[in-house]
Amino acid sequence: MDSFAATVARMPALRTAIEQHPEDYRVLTGERPTGRLHLGHYFGTIRERVRLQSAGVETFVILADYQVITDRDSAGNVREHVHGAVLDYLAAGLDPASTTIFTHSSVPALNQLLLPFLSLVTEAELHRNPTVKSELAASGRTLSGLLLTYPVHQAADILFCKGNLVPVGKDNLPHVEITRTIARRFNERYGPVFPEPAALVTDAAELPGLDGRKMSKSYGNAIALGMTADETAAAIRRAPTDSERAITYDPANRPGVAGLLTTAAVVLGRTPQEIADELGDAGAGALKRVTTEAVNEFLADHRARRASLTVADAVAVIRDGNARARTIADATLDEVRVAMGMVY
Ligand code: TRP
């Protein structure tokens, strides 16, 4: 069994432990605010966060704004993306009274943890990280110091609040691993301060984009949660299909058709095969109609809740979250100073 399969195999026991003792866990998770959140985020991560919150697990969500500039020249519309993400979180059911939503750049003590943490890893370990390697390749650029070291920064995201449970997709598993390494090495050198967090890997299948490729803002194949019903219809209308009347689920040869079938299936809680069978010889137009209706119905409540909120609501939530995160980060950094003998 490879280490990913081993991690996945541990998930049922971990889920049971969380259900039985939610008070033993503190969740830290988050994302890079590089664009609008989409259906892939909803099924991949947001739904899980709401579940954990409802199960009574204390939850922190970071909008990792410094991570935006790991592989690009400007932060872009980061403010707009942060506000939009907060609105989607609220619409999806995250409750800011119990879940702390915050940004990197607002929590100085979190960032300062990066300095002692960087001393705990070697250059070779940084270069070996498979996710950094693939992100570097995808960026088509030279390696920035921040891209090379961002997994260590992510360890600071997790450890500043002593998070011990990190819901992540497969691509972020190496970062949880390095976080465990950093926590262990710190504790060995300076005394016990940090937990060694566990990854909680989502069991949801990855939702492909409308063209069957990975769903991504940059491919333009995503359905943003904040789209209107008409924008959704237009995005689905543009999705590439073929002229074959028979609708079959064949991801390898008909990626566009398969992308639409999977999207409809996920929001309807059914299988792509069932929907293909039902459509029979109805053609791509019918598939697009069914998919549009299914998505719009699924997102109707989310969108209504989102529309009832304002940017001012998002600003209030993020300011409050940042203040809470600062208090916690200051306390942890104080402990780190004491452990390291740097109290003056
Ligand atoms: N790298 C994560 C992503 O976009 C985002 C992230 C930043 C994160 N800090 C984190 C996830 C800490 C989990 C824990 O996929």
Side-chain angles (χ1 to χ4, degrees):
M1 214 185 315
D2 64 19
S3 73
F4 176 63
T7 303
V8 170
R10 281 196 299 273
M11 287 307 114
L14 181 57
R15 281 180 193 280
T16 308
I18 297 165
E19 249 165 62
Q20 286 171 349
H21 287 288
E23 72 283 1
D24 288 351
Y25 295 91
R26 181 177 264 189
V27 160
L28 182 294
T29 184
E31 52 235 325
R32 299 208 291 170
T34 52
R36 298 206 277 174
L37 295 182
H38 53 59
L39 266 186
H41 294 115
Y42 184 81
F43 287 104
T45 56
I46 297 175
R47 195 172 53 163
E48 175 95 277
R49 294 173 195 166
V50 176
R51 262 193 235 130
L52 287 163
Q53 174 193 274
S54 315
V57 181
E58 192 184 3
T59 301
F60 288 74
V61 180
I62 184 165
L63 287 161
D65 51 358
Y66 280 137
Q67 246 180 50
V68 172
I69 48 168
T70 49
D71 62 356
R72 62 198 78 196
D73 286 332
S74 100
N77 299 322
V78 66
R79 187 164 184 269
E80 188 187 318
H81 299 321
V82 164
H83 293 160
V86 173
L87 294 179
D88 278 319
Y89 294 160
L90 299 177
L94 285 184
D95 174 6
S98 59
T99 294
T100 301
I101 304 169
F102 67 103
T103 47
H104 266 149
S105 60
S106 310
V107 188
L110 180 162
N111 294 289
Q112 191 171 330
L113 290 175
L114 192 56
L115 294 172
F117 286 1
L118 280 171
S119 75
L120 300 168
V121 294
T122 65
E123 187 201 351
E125 284 171 323
L126 293 173
H127 280 287
R128 216 182 286 142
N129 186 303
T131 304
V132 169
K133 281 196 222 166
S134 61
E135 286 172 351
L136 173 64
S139 77
R141 303 163 53 111
T142 53
L143 182 62
S144 76
L146 191 60
L147 181 56
L148 180 66
T149 54
Y150 98 85
V152 182
H153 197 185
Q154 194 157 319
D157 298 347
I158 297 166
L159 295 177
F160 94 93
C161 66
K162 304 192 181 179
N164 62 0
L165 187 63
V166 189
V168 282
K170 184 180 176 174
D171 59 340
N172 267 260
L173 278 177
H175 308 342
V176 180
E177 209 40 59
I178 201 165
T179 303
R180 295 169 62 83
T181 302
I182 287 170
R184 193 175 58 247
R185 288 180 186 164
F186 186 96
N187 296 343
E188 279 164 9
R189 262 184 222 189
Y190 302 110
V193 173
F194 294 111
E196 283 182 44
L200 183 67
V201 187
T202 171
D203 44 15
E206 192 170 296
L207 183 64
L210 291 170
D211 54 3
R213 291 191 291 169
K214 185 180 160 66
M215 185 177 279
S216 161
K217 310 160 258 230
S218 48
Y219 290 156
N221 62 359
I223 298 172
L225 299 174
M227 278 180 174
T228 63
D230 286 345
E231 285 166 346
T232 303
I236 292 176
R237 219 177 298 121
R238 282 194 303 272
T241 47
D242 53 45
S243 53
E244 178 96 39
R245 299 289 315 165
I247 298 302
T248 54
Y249 180 61
D250 182 358
N253 297 308
R254 304 180 76 188
V257 169
L260 289 169
L261 283 169
T262 309
T263 302
V266 165
V267 297
L268 293 169
R270 306 181 57 193
T271 68
Q273 191 62 56
E274 277 169 15
I275 295 169
D277 291 347
E278 244 165 56
L279 282 164
D281 286 330
L287 170 60
K288 289 185 173 182
R289 244 184 338 271
V290 165
T291 307
T292 303
E293 262 170 39
V295 170
N296 281 340
E297 195 179 314
F298 178 79
L299 286 177
D301 288 347
H302 180 96
R303 288 166 171 170
R305 282 191 295 271
R306 200 181 194 281
S308 72
L309 299 163
T310 63
V311 169
D313 295 322
V315 169
V317 165
I318 203 84
R319 289 201 178 148
D320 181 52
N322 282 336
R324 290 205 302 239
R326 275 195 292 270
T327 303
I328 293 171
D330 287 343
T332 302
L333 185 60
D334 276 343
E335 274 185 71
V336 164
R337 289 188 181 108
V338 170
M340 298 179 75
M342 295 178 172
V343 182
Y344 310 109

